[in-house]
Amino acid sequence: MPFACVPGCFYLHENDAINRIEAIAAGPKSPGHFVRGAGCFAWREKGIIVNVIPMAAGFGARIEDIDLTGLDAGARETLRVALLEHGLLVVPAQALDPQAQIAASEVFGALETFPPTPSQIPGYPQIFRVASRAADGHTEVGRYWHSDGSFRTVPTPISVWHLEVQPEQGGDTWFVDLQAAYRSLPEQIKAQVRDLQTMHRNGVLHPLVIPHPRTGVAGLYLNIGLTAGIVGMGREESAALIAAIDSHFSREGAVYRHQWQAGDFVVADNFRIAHRATPLSPSQRRILNRTTVRGDGAFWDGARVAGSRLAAG
């Protein structure tokens, strides 16, 4: 169906989402329909338009003018494509009850479940509540650079947050691109970290530099708060390297600071993006409902994604 093209934007039709995913895997020289990072793109099918607008941070995209409760197959696929392309999605102004949040989160894969606690939502084990007050959810969570679920042998691939209660001020969440962080390291440091492994406090090992399981692009992968050390290094040397990477994540111009607004729905690819919470006084009430895709449940696994021909290398 023909329609006017907004300057700087690209529009996906029915078969273009698969081509877009394949172009991401093959790199900027592939014969895809789009030029990487050249502007927003959108999907139109049966009157639905999904506007995907890259953010100024150099990663991440805003998804404008969409209702997550009314997605068709094309819109769902466009969101998956956008997450692979940009690593972080910000979808504003979504009025979602717990069931609707779970359904929107399942666009990106099968969800983890959590044991019940007094502050969790009864009947919805997929939702992990993060809050400024203990009566509302888990507090003092993740105030250091990390990717959710990195303590698992098979890590959590995707995290999703929906803001239920907005504070008057404060409580921003910071995000950083792990692949850009690796690319921007001096070559000498790259050579040093390339073959190292981290050990979590529970003994789980992960490579310090990990290829994305779908695109194959290398990025740093380090949980600053839960990592006990670097395999093969002494305590002081390990601590110094972790501190240096921590500082590198926070380097000037690298961080997107998300200021939560009512109804925000945010999705992060944990192999591409790390995040950290910032302090928030209990005097400021905030509730974030978080869902996470389980390690074997990401949309890019098997036939869950229409672009399942995507190569990992």
Side-chain angles (χ1 to χ4, degrees):
M1 181 183 300
F3 52 92
C5 187
V6 178
C9 294
F10 303 96
Y11 293 85
L12 285 94
H13 293 277
E14 185 172 359
N15 296 320
D16 287 346
I18 294 175
N19 295 327
R20 178 67 170 174
I21 296 176
E22 291 175 340
I24 294 168
K29 294 182 180 180
S30 67
H33 289 251
F34 309 92
V35 177
R36 182 188 299 273
C40 68
F41 63 91
W43 173 285
R44 178 163 184 161
E45 181 184 23
K46 299 180 181 178
I48 295 177
I49 296 178
V50 180
N51 295 308
V52 182
I53 305 170
M55 298 193 299
F59 64 92
R62 287 181 63 86
I63 311 296
E64 300 283 1
D65 305 318
I66 189 173
D67 178 1
L68 292 175
T69 66
L71 302 176
D72 65 6
R76 290 193 295 271
E77 189 63 25
T78 300
L79 291 174
R80 296 169 186 145
V81 171
L83 185 64
L84 276 177
E85 172 75 0
H86 299 284
L88 180 73
L89 303 181
V90 176
V91 190
Q94 299 297 306
L96 303 174
D97 61 22
Q99 190 58 54
Q101 180 185 351
I102 290 169
S105 301
E106 287 175 337
V107 167
F108 303 98
L111 302 182
E112 297 175 332
T113 59
F114 301 92
T117 66
S119 61
Q120 299 298 92
I121 305 174
Y124 296 100
Q126 302 92 336
I127 295 178
F128 181 92
R129 287 188 126 192
V130 180
S132 58
R133 301 176 182 176
D136 293 328
H138 297 270
T139 61
E140 308 292 333
V141 173
R143 293 183 179 177
Y144 44 80
W145 288 116
H146 68 286
S147 294
D148 289 333
S150 62
F151 61 88
R152 302 179 189 275
T153 302
V154 180
T156 300
I158 297 166
S159 294
V160 183
W161 300 265
H162 180 245
L163 183 69
E164 179 180 327
V165 177
Q166 179 184 3
E168 293 182 5
Q169 60 182 1
D172 297 355
T173 302
W174 295 9
F175 296 91
V176 69
D177 187 332
L178 297 170
Q179 295 172 1
Y182 177 64
R183 288 195 301 269
S184 61
L185 288 173
E187 289 301 321
Q188 180 180 355
I189 304 300
K190 278 187 186 178
Q192 177 188 2
V193 304
R194 188 171 294 131
D195 297 321
L196 294 178
Q197 284 189 309
T198 64
M199 177 182 288
H200 275 57
R201 294 175 185 172
N202 63 356
V204 168
L205 302 178
H206 289 304
L208 180 54
V209 178
I210 194 167
H212 191 282
R214 197 60 184 165
T215 68
V217 178
L220 292 169
Y221 190 74
L222 179 65
N223 186 317
I224 299 297
L226 298 184
T227 297
I230 307 297
V231 177
M233 285 188 174
R235 180 175 298 180
E236 290 186 4
E237 184 183 13
S238 177
L241 179 58
I242 291 171
I245 294 174
D246 185 18
S247 178
H248 184 62
F249 284 165
S250 301
R251 68 197 183 278
E252 184 69 26
V255 175
Y256 165 64
R257 296 166 172 82
H258 184 70
Q259 298 179 335
W260 291 96
Q261 304 296 319
D264 277 353
F265 182 90
V266 175
V267 188
D269 177 342
N270 288 322
F271 293 112
R272 167 81 182 272
I273 302 294
H275 64 278
R276 64 179 297 174
T278 57
L280 183 63
S281 168
S283 65
Q284 295 288 322
R285 188 171 186 239
R286 187 194 69 175
I287 301 175
L288 281 171
N289 290 334
R290 192 197 74 185
T291 52
T292 43
V293 173
R294 69 177 192 238
D296 63 349
F299 68 86
W300 54 65
D301 289 330
R304 293 191 63 86
V305 63
S308 58
R309 292 171 287 165
L310 180 64

